[in-house]
Structures are given as C-alpha cells and as structure tokens.
Amino acid sequence: MPVSRRTAVAFFTALPLAASQAAPASTTKDSPRMYGLIGKMRAQPGQRDALIAILLEGTAAMPGCLSYTVAKDLGDADGIWISETWDSQASHKASLSLPAVQQAIARGRPLIAGFDTRAELEPVGGHGSMRKSTA
C-alpha cells in the first residue's frame, strides 16, 4: 500500500530522523517541559534494514534532542519502533527544518509501507540512553 506524501510528512514530523547523546532529565517550574514521542512504522517488505539505515545516518547534530532510539520489532519482520526525547516541543519542531532531516524524509518515504501506533509524551525522568547506534 503506497504511503501518501501527506501521511509520510505527518509521521516524520512526529518522528524526526536524528540521534544525539542523552542529557539529564529534569525540569523546574520555570523550565520548559520535555517532549517525547514513541511510534511504530512498517517498512515495505524486505526494506526494514534500509529504512533503519536512513533513520540513523548523519543525524548527530540535533539541538535539543536528548535521545533517539530506533528498534526492530521482534514480532514483526517489517516493524520499526522509534522513541525520542527532546528538551522541549519547540526543539523538536525546529529540527524538522534541518537539511539532514528533510533529506532523510525524502529518501525514506518510498520505503515506508505504513504507520501504526504513535504517542506524544511528557518524559519526567529515567535512566539510560542509546549512545552508539547500529542497524
């Protein structure tokens, strides 16, 4: 099933294609709330690894991105889960104008079969980050 440009852009807007180091998770009454997203996408049959490579490449410089994790769904051969944490929703939104993100969207769109679950979150704390990504 082909994915329309509108659907792809909407999903990629929610799940920018970037990775970064994690930072401490703390907010105060006066600081902006952290912003998080978790979503599942389905790759075209046999294209999961290629799509994962696009999601992970060349995306280290993402101001405000505290963590970005791409994971294979062990129960779905074409499923990919993406989890990200940002210092604010504004930082997430700003990332969408970066050339690397725009290029990844254009390259990844043909490999996407569809989208499943998507949730916006307010992270409040935790432990750990993905410091080195491999497909």
Side-chain angles (χ1 to χ4, degrees):
M1 172 181 182
V3 176
S4 72
R5 176 182 165 98
R6 175 175 281 168
T7 301
V9 170
F11 190 78
F12 278 113
T13 297
L15 298 169
L17 310 172
S20 183
Q21 299 288 345
S26 65
T27 60
T28 65
K29 187 176 176 181
D30 298 327
S31 68
R33 293 182 175 155
M34 286 192 295
Y35 180 70
L37 296 164
I38 296 175
K40 180 180 180 183
M41 73 171 61
R42 286 176 283 99
Q44 294 289 347
Q47 295 299 311
R48 179 168 75 176
D49 288 344
L51 182 54
I52 287 172
I54 292 169
L55 292 169
L56 294 175
E57 72 183 26
T59 55
M62 293 292 294
C65 184
L66 305 176
S67 70
Y68 182 83
T69 302
V70 177
K72 293 179 180 181
D73 187 320
L74 296 178
D76 177 354
D78 298 316
I80 301 169
W81 285 91
I82 303 167
S83 176
E84 52 193 295
T85 303
W86 294 84
D87 64 1
S88 68
Q89 189 171 11
S91 291
H92 168 259
K93 187 173 183 174
S95 73
L96 301 173
S97 65
L98 296 173
V101 172
Q102 293 296 314
Q103 291 166 7
I105 291 169
R107 291 181 54 228
R109 188 178 300 120
L111 304 180
I112 300 169
F115 304 97
D116 290 335
T117 304
R118 177 184 177 275
E120 291 182 278
L121 311 164
E122 180 185 337
V124 295
H127 174 75
S129 69
M130 193 159 181
R131 298 191 185 276
K132 182 177 180 182
S133 300
T134 59

